[in-house]
Amino acid sequence: MRHNLLKNQEEDDPMSTVSNLFDVAMVFAVALMVALVTRFNMTEMFSQDDFTMIKNPGKENMEIITKEGSQINKYTPSEDQSQSEGKRGKKVGIAYELENGEIIYVPE
């Protein structure tokens, strides 16, 4: 008879279902974040190494993202050029770094 009383109390608790759904949602959210980080190759953000990443190189909406220690900086050349006292620049060439470390500049 004591076993039946405990069983009835567990069946009547509506919050047990909500807590199980919350656990499932948290596991799903963490799995989704891990999948997105690995899909977009953003694992460098979580490492201790410094890096520089260039999005859309050579285009109008180019962005340079650098990580130095725990600080992440974003630089957009087109915005910075328009804000600087009328001084404007233009792309004059491309630089390539070879496997042996030598840098070659190709003017346009």
Side-chain angles (χ1 to χ4, degrees):
M1 184 158 156
R2 191 172 199 195
H3 179 62
N4 288 338
L5 290 175
L6 293 175
K7 187 175 183 183
N8 288 338
Q9 287 177 351
E10 290 177 6
E11 291 177 3
D12 293 338
D13 186 18
M15 292 304 289
S16 65
T17 305
V18 173
S19 66
N20 288 338
L21 289 176
F22 179 77
D23 293 341
V24 170
M26 291 305 293
V27 168
F28 179 74
V30 169
L32 183 62
M33 286 189 300
V34 169
L36 288 173
V37 165
T38 56
R39 168 67 174 102
F40 293 112
N41 297 326
M42 296 300 293
T43 54
E44 294 90 7
M45 293 287 184
F46 301 109
S47 70
Q48 297 297 323
D49 299 334
D50 296 343
F51 71 91
T52 301
M53 179 173 55
I54 301 175
K55 290 175 53 178
N56 304 323
K59 297 182 181 175
E60 290 292 321
N61 59 348
M62 181 175 81
E63 295 178 347
I64 301 171
I65 301 171
T66 59
K67 179 182 176 224
E68 297 171 351
S70 62
Q71 185 177 7
I72 298 175
N73 299 317
K74 178 180 166 186
Y75 172 75
T76 306
S78 60
E79 290 177 4
D80 291 339
Q81 288 177 358
S82 63
Q83 295 173 356
S84 62
E85 302 175 5
K87 297 179 182 175
R88 294 186 175 257
K90 64 178 182 173
K91 184 177 174 182
V92 294
I94 302 173
Y96 296 97
E97 183 177 3
L98 302 178
E99 291 178 0
N100 63 1
E102 184 179 354
I103 296 178
I104 298 176
Y105 169 72
V106 179
E108 290 185 342

